[in-house]
Amino acid sequence: MKTAAKPQIIPWILLLLCLSSYNSGGVLAVNMSIPNTLLRGTVGGEAVLSVCYNSFSLDLPVIKWQLKREKSITVVQSIGTDIIGTLRPEYRDRILVFENGTLLLHNLRLSDNGTYDVEISITDDTFTGEGSITLTVDESISRPFIHMETTSVLELSENVVLNCSHDNGTKTAYKWFKGGKQLSNMTRFVLSPDQKFLTIMRVLMADDDIYICMVENPVGNMTSLPIKLTVYRRSSLYIILSTGGIFLLITLVTICACWTPNKKKRHHHPAGNPLYRYNDYSDCLRITHTDDLLPKRTERNGINAVTSLYVLQQKEPSLDDSSNNSIGSPESDNPPCYTSSPKLNGSLTPARSSIRLT
């Protein structure tokens, strides 16, 4: 049995030897390997698209990198490390090719995001080595902050909204934490579809806590500063409002008690003014004829002057014959005299006006 099995194994060994001699002598190929097929880069950073290959030929390899689009874009083509032709404007001063075919991209842009195909060929080799690397480029996240209309609310308030905002960042995802524990969609805590907004449907005293928002993307994450939500009981609020109202009332009463109106300055009249006494008691007089109050214009020494004559009360006829005759006499130039003020309690002597009527 053992001697019969050996003749059957020998043909298979010979077949394997023939195949190996055929591959090593007649057919040559570039064996290429890619350590990492997915890379993540940051705007402004750099990315190393690493490859390595093996070949029996001593000739320099022809390396070609392309970016997949609807129509593929040739990024660079080189023989060894020497670049062939002219680079596209968006890749100038940003590309470096190594001897093993590795590509280095400087100063990454969002437009560099995509899949890169690499081909390495050698003249003596029949088959070309090929491979692909996917590069994602994202913008770093700035520190987020939580926006609220107010940080103090009343118990049982409806729809208190917390908004997680940030200035920079792409492909962002949001997480919310209350008292250090991550929140999810619950009965009263509702997250928006993108989880950027957290809504508390009905505020309870247990919601009086510290809230934090975390923003993350493929290149990093950032956490907001904590914000404190203060919840007041309704009874406590009423006490605060009533206390504040009493304090305000006391303040207003104190201000009113200390405030005094400004006194108007009285006009001082010279002692020689014949109308001085009249001006002092003008408020106590009662005037019945408005026609006699009009000012009359007189002319003295060629100068026009306006004298206001106020007829208050005509003096009763006196027993003095000379005064009676002078009033109605055409020969007299003096006008009739009138008192400037009525008798007041018998203590003030009425003044006579000697203004001439024209």
Side-chain angles (χ1 to χ4, degrees), residues 214-232:
M214 176 185 288
V215 184
E216 58 185 2
N217 70 356
V219 295
N221 61 75
M222 289 292 289
T223 303
S224 68
L225 296 175
I227 188 170
K228 177 70 166 59
L229 176 63
T230 304
V231 182
Y232 292 104

Side-chain angles (χ1 to χ4, degrees), residues 13 28-29 57 73 135 152 168 192-193 198 202 233 238 243 262 284 300 302 326 354:
I13 295 175
L28 298 177
S57 176
I73 298 173
L135 172 64
S152 300
N168 301 322
S192 61
L198 171 65
R202 188 174 179 84
R233 294 188 184 275
Y238 292 152
T243 305
N262 295 329
C284 301
R300 294 181 181 179
S326 63
S354 61

Side-chain angles (χ1 to χ4, degrees), residues 48-100:
V48 179
L49 283 68
S50 179
V51 298
C52 58
Y53 73 94
N54 293 320
S55 175
F56 293 99
S57 176
L58 299 178
D59 296 337
L60 293 175
V62 177
I63 305 169
K64 184 178 181 180
W65 285 92
Q66 289 183 320
L67 177 60
K68 279 187 178 181
R69 293 288 186 264
E70 293 181 359
K71 183 179 181 180
S72 295
I73 298 173
T74 300
V75 178
V76 64
Q77 190 170 1
S78 66
I79 298 177
T81 58
D82 297 330
I83 296 176
I84 301 173
T86 303
L87 293 175
R88 296 171 65 91
E90 61 268 28
Y91 294 114
R92 291 175 186 173
D93 301 325
R94 297 178 53 219
I95 284 180
L96 182 62
V97 181
F98 294 92
E99 292 180 356
N100 62 350

Side-chain angles (χ1 to χ4, degrees), residues 306-318:
V306 178
T307 303
S308 298
L309 177 61
Y310 298 89
V311 179
L312 303 177
Q313 180 178 357
Q314 185 175 0
K315 183 179 180 182
E316 295 179 358
S318 176

Side-chain angles (χ1 to χ4, degrees), residues 99-121:
E99 292 180 356
N100 62 350
T102 297
L103 175 66
L104 174 63
L105 283 175
H106 291 286
N107 192 18
L108 290 176
R109 305 172 182 176
L110 292 175
S111 59
D112 295 332
N113 190 88
T115 300
Y116 291 79
D117 293 332
V118 57
E119 295 180 0
I120 299 178
S121 61

